[in-house]
Amino acid sequence: GELVLLEANGHMGRRNTRVARVDIPASVIREIWARAAGRCVLCSAYLLGTGRSFFHTAHGEIAHNVGATQGKKSPRGASKLSLEERSKAENLLLLCHQCHRMIDAAGAEEVYTDEYLRERKQVFEDHVRRVTDFATVTETAVVRVTGRVRGTFAPATDRQVSSALHLEGMRYAGEHPRDAEFVVSIDSEDTDSWVWQEGMKKIVTKLSALRDTPFDTVSVFAMAPVPLLVFLGSKLEDKGDIRVFPRFRDAEDLAWCWRSRPGSCATFAVASSGASATATEVVLTVNVSGVVDLGAAPADFAALPRVTLAADAPGPDAIQTKADLAAFSRAWRSALARVEMDYPLCERIHMLAAVPVVAAVACGQHYMRGAQPALVVYQRAREGYIEALTL
C-alpha cells in the first residue's frame, strides 16, 4: 500500500489505493461561508440557526461541484481538475443538507451538471456582493393536472415538484404550498367517451380560480391524454410567465426536471403535401415522441391534404431541454402558418400527434382561437384514432 490521507479523520495511514481527496483548508471554508453570506447557494436557506437559544449552530455544508475524487462514485468527478484544484474555493459552494443530498443523488449528474452549479454559484455570490437582499428565488403558483393514460394515473409527487422548482431557482408562492397550488384530477379512463368533457370542465374551473389570484409566474406539471393537454395549453395561452415542466421516466426524484445539454438543440421540419385553393379540411400530423400511424386514422383522411411536423429523430427523448421545446414551438407555429398559406379556405385542422407532455401543452398555447381554423384533436385508441375534442 501507499501512504495516504484518510478521508474520515485526517490521520495518516496505509491502504491499497491512491489519495482519496485533499482536505479543504479552514481559510477556504471561511471564504465560502462569506461568499454566500451564510445562505444556501441553491435555495437561499439561512444556515446559521434560528436564534432560539443563546448559541447559533451552523448547519451548512461545503459541497464540491466537480467531485472531490476521480472515482466512479464521485458526483461530477469525471474532470481534468486535479485533486488540489477540486478543494479550492472556485469549485466549492455552500449548501444546506437537503440541497447537498439532491445534487449528489444517484442520477443527478444529468440535471445538476458542473456547468449549472458553477453558474448558480456565480450568480448567487455576485448577488451577495452587490446587495444585501437575498430574495433570488422566484415565487410561483403550481398547476398539477393528472388524467389516466392507458389506465395509469401518475401525478407529479410533492418531492418531484419541489425538485423541479428547485432546479429552476423557484419555490411555491406564499407561506405554504397549498396557498399557491391548483390541482386537477381527471378520474375517468381515457377510453371513456365522457372523459373529454369531464377533463375540460375541471381544467376550466381550476384555471378560472387561478386567474383570480395575483401570481406572476405559473408552473405546470401535467400528465394526461394528449387532447386534454392541448386543451390545457389553449387555456394557459402563451401570455405571461407560464413554465411547463417535462416528464421523464428515469431518475424518479428528478423525473420532472429539465435536462441540461449545452451546445445542441433538437430540430424539426415542416412539410405539406401540396397547396390547394379549394381544400376546407387538412390533416396535421406531429411526429415527435413517435411517428403517427396513418393506417390507424379515419379512412376519409386519405383523401385530405396533409401537413407534417416531424422531429429529425422522433423518440421519447426528442425534447429534453427548454431550448428543444422552444424549437418545437417555433415549428408548430410554422406548421399552422403553412396550413393557412397552402390551404386558404381551410376550416378544420385534424390533428394526429405523437408528442411528449410539454409539446402537447405548447400546441394549445400557440394555437390562436378565432384567428385560425378549428383544431380537432384526436386520441389514439385500440381501434385507431378517435375524435376527442375541438378547439
Side-chain angles (χ1 to χ4, degrees), residues 6 34 75 151 208 215 233-234 249 262 265 276 286 288 290 314 339 378 382:
L6 297 183
S208 295
F215 302 114
S234 74
R249 296 179 182 177
C265 180
S276 169
V286 188
V288 179
V339 170
Y378 289 74
R382 185 171 300 175

Side-chain angles (χ1 to χ4, degrees), residues 243-316:
R243 308 190 188 189
V244 184
F245 286 79
R247 176 65 167 91
F248 298 101
R249 296 179 182 177
D250 57 347
E252 186 62 23
D253 284 348
L254 306 174
W256 291 84
C257 294
W258 282 108
R259 285 2 186 187
S260 179
R261 194 177 56 191
S264 63
C265 180
T267 55
F268 304 88
V270 174
S272 88
S273 59
S276 169
T278 60
T280 59
E281 297 187 78
V282 173
V283 176
L284 173 53
T285 59
V286 188
N287 305 316
V288 179
S289 57
V291 178
V292 170
D293 178 10
L294 287 172
D300 57 348
F301 281 14
L304 298 179
R306 187 167 73 251
V307 171
T308 301
L309 187 166
D312 279 359

